[in-house]
Amino acid sequence: MSKKIILDENDLPKQWYNIQADLPKPLPPVIHPGTKQPITPDDLAPLFPMSLIMQEVSQERWIDIPEPVRDVYKIWRPSPLVRADRWEKALDTPAKIYYKWEGQSPPGSHKPNTAVAQAFFNKEAGVKRITTETGAGQWGSALSFACNILDIECKVYMVRVSYDQKPYRRLMMQTWGAQCLPSPSTETEAGRRILEENPDTPGSLGIAISEAVEEAAKREDTKYALGSVLNHVMLHQTVLGLEAKKQMEIAGDYPDIVIGCAGGGSNFAGLMLPFARDKIVDGKNIDIIGVEPTACPTMTRGLYRYDFGDTACTTPLLKMFTLGHAFIPAPIHAGGLRYHGMAPIICHLLDLGIIKAQAYHQNPCFDACISFARAEGHILAPETAHAVKATMDAALECKKTGESKVILFNASGHGHFDMASFQKYFDKDLEDYEYPDEELKKALESLPEIESA
Ligand SMILES: *Cc1c(COP(=O)(O)O)cnc(C)c1O
């Protein structure tokens, strides 16, 4: 039995898979917050190149991966599929556990799969600069890496508190030649307004989004990029699931359970969408599970409603499971999982009963993450730890029932820049947060009134 299934460069997928072609019911439209009508491609044109907007609404099943994008992917792709046999032994489970290892990309996660594609389509459209926001810095560093390779300027608004507390991601961005500045900044009207009111503000992702969007909307040579949630991001991430499917075939197995952690939903979608197709089209019997923190329980406790993508209420309205754009997440260490909404594609599949969701507290996720590290070696990100915990539970359930199910999970990234959170865990200083019902009710009261499509 081989430990790793490694594909040849020539086996790198030539096309991304678009689930929109196979949905039993089409996605609800995206709504313009002013007119309350479905938005048109032209509404989005100030922010994104038309090629990406067309991917957003495309009903084509397969979309070509441009050769220059495949060329950059080859720096780290195809990524390995690994049999976690040592961890199986440690857990004493009859289950077979596989993980798709996305932590060996230069920025250390799955995020460059879309960053490289977005940088390429912007470059092709003649765009000179891309702006974006970043919280803990994973997305900012992925986009910086991609823009550097494809020779586009990159400007990252990083939430002030992370900018000060997490200098290493910022230094990665600088190493790849990007400009990273703390948000709020004096570069935009939104930033200046907030600084005037509150000069010592720690900033927030909502403010950083407003700054990045404002600059892109104002400048002819500049567009904006988003690292998760949107359909074209889910599309680009399918490169990893398509590889995984081929690798499972080579291993001679097919998953009974597919698991991923979900913040905006992109790494989970990337892995599971090609398998969701098998479930929809071929009637395959697979459990597909998205895992989120109990402190930010979007899919497990949110409402399926139209909401803004940002806290500043500037984006189009997306139909999604949401905790309300006014939701203020507890300071858990899985920074990438603290988003109030979820990708519309994920929410639609959840609503249709094709996928499921589970929530866990952060301490048991760290327990599982450390169990995995001691058996398999890799120290995974606190976000990824949520997928590890769900995998461990499924494997321990198999131990009880004696079933040898095949479990596949996405190892979305390494945790090398998150060791301060491991310190807190070892010091027993990590808190588990349950979002109180009254707070949730309050945040949900701020949802915009839209006739549900
Ligand atoms: C950003 C990130 C996530 C969460 O984002 P998704 O869009 O839900 O995938 C998960 N894992 C890692 C390692 C990340 O960097």
Side-chain angles (χ1 to χ4, degrees):
M1 181 189 80
S2 11
K3 174 80 178 161
K4 291 199 296 299
I5 314 276
I6 309 230
L7 295 176
D8 189 80
E9 260 177 34
N10 299 320
D11 291 325
L12 181 60
K14 295 194 164 62
Q15 294 174 313
W16 291 298
Y17 168 62
N18 181 13
I19 188 85
Q20 292 195 62
D22 291 315
L23 289 173
K25 221 172 93 181
L27 283 172
V30 176
I31 299 289
H32 191 289
T35 64
K36 307 272 162 82
Q37 294 301 309
I39 55 162
T40 63
D42 284 344
D43 292 330
L44 295 173
L47 294 186
F48 303 104
M50 202 40 80
S51 46
L52 289 176
I53 297 171
M54 288 299 133
Q55 288 176 14
E56 195 62 20
V57 295
S58 172
Q59 301 294 311
E60 292 291 317
R61 183 169 291 108
W62 297 101
I63 294 178
D64 288 344
I65 307 178
E67 233 8 82
V69 173
R70 291 182 78 239
D71 242 23
V72 181
Y73 278 172
K74 283 176 189 171
I75 293 176
W76 76 97
R77 308 211 69 84
S79 73
L81 179 85
V82 188
R83 175 82 183 268
D85 54 338
R86 292 170 177 275
W87 195 36
E88 289 167 15
K89 236 178 244 144
L91 297 175
D92 188 24
T93 174
K96 287 182 176 179
I97 304 173
Y98 292 87
Y99 63 95
K100 180 67 170 161
W101 181 219
E102 289 295 303
Q104 63 175 28
S105 73
S109 76
H110 65 288
K111 287 194 172 77
N113 296 332
T114 186
V116 170
Q118 291 191 50
F120 170 81
F121 288 112
N122 273 286
K123 174 92 180 173
E124 197 189 39
V127 175
K128 298 279 181 287
R129 302 168 72 244
I130 302 183
T131 58
T132 198
E133 73 287 336
T134 197
Q138 287 117 319
W139 169 240
S141 54
L143 191 67
S144 302
F145 156 76
C147 284
N148 171 60
I149 289 217
L150 289 158
D151 197 21
I152 300 191
E153 247 182 79
C154 179
K155 183 164 173 184
V156 183
Y157 288 93
M158 185 168 185
V159 177
R160 165 108 245 170
V161 58
S162 306
Y163 184 91
D164 293 335
Q165 287 175 0
K166 300 189 172 164
Y168 298 124
R169 284 273 168 199
R170 145 162 68 90
L171 288 162
M172 286 175 90
M173 296 179 225
Q174 204 178 336
T175 302
W176 283 314
Q179 186 190 357
C180 173
L181 67 175
S183 164
S185 74
T186 53
E187 311 251 321
T188 64
E189 271 171 41
R192 284 189 295 269
R193 197 174 335 114
I194 287 157
L195 282 176
E196 223 162 84
E197 285 164 18
N198 185 359
D200 299 322
T201 175
S204 73
L205 211 47
I207 298 169
I209 293 175
S210 305
E211 290 203 279
V213 166
E214 180 187 320
E215 183 172 339
K218 269 195 193 147
R219 285 185 58 152
E220 197 58 41
D221 63 348
T222 303
K223 300 273 186 222
Y224 167 73
L226 196 63
S228 190
V229 180
L230 299 180
N231 300 341
H232 67 265
V233 179
M234 307 296 123
L235 173 79
H236 301 153
Q237 291 295 351
T238 60
V239 67
L240 79 91
L242 293 167
E243 283 178 12
K245 213 167 149 186
K246 205 180 279 185
Q247 288 163 312
M248 290 297 298
E249 251 173 60
I250 294 170
D253 272 323
Y254 189 87
D256 298 296
I257 309 176
V258 176
I259 294 172
C261 67
S266 72
N267 86 84
F268 175 47
L271 181 65
M272 66 84 172
L273 288 176
F275 294 99
R277 184 220 158 265
D278 292 358
K279 192 164 174 171
I280 297 167
V281 179
D282 302 334
K284 286 270 191 195
N285 180 18
I286 326 169
D287 261 349
I288 303 176
I289 306 169
V291 192
E292 62 187 12
T294 308
C296 188
T298 313
M299 296 181 288
T300 50
R301 287 174 68 200
L303 298 181
Y304 191 38
R305 290 273 301 272
Y306 274 99
D307 197 6
F308 293 100
D310 65 336
T311 25
C313 305
T314 57
T315 70
L317 299 168
L318 303 171
K319 188 158 183 201
M320 55 187 180
F321 283 89
T322 178
L323 300 167
H325 55 268
F327 171 81
I328 300 166
I332 55 162
H333 286 277
L337 305 186
R338 296 172 64 218
Y339 182 61
H340 68 273
M342 185 61 63
I345 283 179
I346 301 263
C347 297
H348 189 59
L349 292 173
L350 186 64
D351 187 54
L352 293 173
I354 293 163
I355 65 171
K356 300 197 272 205
Q358 283 174 6
Y360 288 106
H361 281 302
Q362 58 179 350
N363 274 300
C365 292
F366 274 87
D367 291 339
C369 195
I370 282 159
S371 160
F372 181 85
R374 288 182 181 168
E376 294 291 322
H378 294 299
I379 299 173
L380 303 179
E383 290 85 356
T384 314
H386 290 72
V388 179
K389 170 63 180 163
T391 302
M392 187 162 126
D393 274 10
L396 294 177
E397 183 62 27
C398 285
K399 183 177 172 179
K400 260 193 231 152
T401 61
E403 289 172 289
S404 61
K405 287 191 177 171
V406 177
I407 309 171
L408 168 64
F409 83 91
N410 197 16
S412 55
H414 68 63
H416 300 176
F417 293 97
D418 302 285
M419 296 319 292
S421 61
F422 285 77
Q423 168 96 60
K424 281 211 162 146
Y425 168 84
F426 290 127
D427 291 348
K428 303 212 179 328
D429 211 8
L430 265 194
E431 251 182 89
D432 283 334
Y433 302 91
E434 187 95 44
Y435 204 69
D437 267 330
E438 314 82 75
E439 288 295 315
L440 188 56
K441 239 189 231 151
K442 240 193 275 167
L444 288 172
E445 273 165 15
S446 64
L447 289 179
E449 291 296 329
I450 298 286
E451 287 294 314
S452 216

